[in-house]
Amino acid sequence: MVTYNNIIDAFKNISTAHEQVNSFGVGDVWDVAVSGTINYPLVWVVPKDSSLQGKVYNSNWTIIFMDLIHSDLREDDEVTSDMEQVAFDYIAQLQHPSYQFDFKPDNIPFTRFNERFDDLVAGVAID
């Protein structure tokens, strides 16, 4: 069975290997602001409720992809587009056979955001 830590390790490995990602973190959303110095773009994973159905462990996560934008918001759309592409790459990697879990990307909601955290950032979150 895949464990909580196995899943975090997979997320961290994908983040570290991605050329457009400079930082990775895990925890509640409000932990982003207190996580220290962030070298953007950042991938932040938030553990959600999980369940065990028979012998199947269902682990749910929100993955947030974000990068800085200028204070005049002139790069908002560009940053959001770039972070969506990183999310697409992430989804593709999670389906790679080297990972021991059965990732089902049948219907993944994308939530776009801007000006979300203490830093002026934009990006997407997927569940």
Side-chain angles (χ1 to χ4, degrees), residues 19-107:
E19 292 181 6
Q20 287 178 266
V21 176
N22 291 330
S23 296
F24 170 81
V26 61
D28 290 317
V29 173
W30 53 82
D31 291 337
V32 173
V34 296
S35 64
T37 303
I38 299 171
N39 187 15
Y40 290 96
L42 166 69
V43 172
W44 191 269
V45 295
V46 181
K48 298 293 193 179
D49 292 338
S50 297
S51 65
L52 185 62
Q53 296 175 326
K55 295 181 181 182
V56 177
Y57 173 58
N58 295 302
S59 186
N60 299 301
W61 300 78
T62 297
I63 308 172
I64 306 169
F65 305 87
M66 66 187 93
D67 197 1
L68 289 171
I69 57 177
H70 291 291
S71 60
D72 61 6
L73 305 179
R74 70 177 185 259
E75 291 181 343
D76 186 18
D77 291 338
E78 188 65 32
V79 169
T80 299
S81 179
D82 288 350
M83 293 301 96
E84 274 190 354
Q85 187 58 56
V86 174
F88 294 142
D89 295 345
Y90 233 75
I91 291 165
Q93 286 298 312
L94 288 170
Q95 296 175 77
H96 193 274
S98 65
Y99 293 108
Q100 301 173 16
F101 40 85
D102 184 18
F103 175 68
K104 298 194 185 312
D106 297 335
N107 184 12

Side-chain angles (χ1 to χ4, degrees), residues 65 83-85 87-88 91 108-112 124-127:
F65 305 87
M83 293 301 96
E84 274 190 354
Q85 187 58 56
F88 294 142
I91 291 165
I108 300 173
F110 278 65
T111 305
R112 294 177 188 97
V124 296
I126 62 174
D127 291 314

